[in-house]
Amino acid sequence: MIGAGFICLVLMLFAFMTAEPVKYILGVFFGGLYSILNFRLLQLTCNKAIKMPPGKASNYIQARYFLRYLITGVVIYVAIINPFVNVIAVFLGLIAVRLSIYLNEFLSKKSVSGNEA
């Protein structure tokens, strides 16, 4: 989550290259905040599902999955109709967690391969 926050801050630096930097910053913040909260919801779902019987856990995970998708749809809809945020920046914020995970994997593989040489 810290990595995703850092990615959002880096994305916000590009705001000064846009015509409306405040809208861009708000978009990245809005998308990034939801992305981090969504990742936290996924963590809580997995932790709770581990303690359940397999059949019940499967149904629970599926229900939470669709709930997270529904909330993501609402976030995107709000971003589209809201004139105070940049929609593209919201999408960049939404992928902040993924970018953080990819960057972390890339750096850890690079570190491991660097130690083997």
Side-chain angles (χ1 to χ4, degrees), residues 50-89:
I50 288 173
K51 299 173 186 172
M52 294 180 175
K56 191 174 181 181
S58 177
N59 291 337
Y60 178 75
I61 288 174
Q62 285 178 355
R64 292 296 180 152
Y65 175 79
F66 287 118
L67 179 64
R68 284 194 317 275
Y69 257 130
L70 178 68
I71 295 170
T72 303
V74 169
V75 166
I76 292 171
Y77 177 74
V78 167
I80 290 171
I81 66 168
N82 191 338
F84 300 110
V85 296
N86 183 320
V87 177
I88 295 171

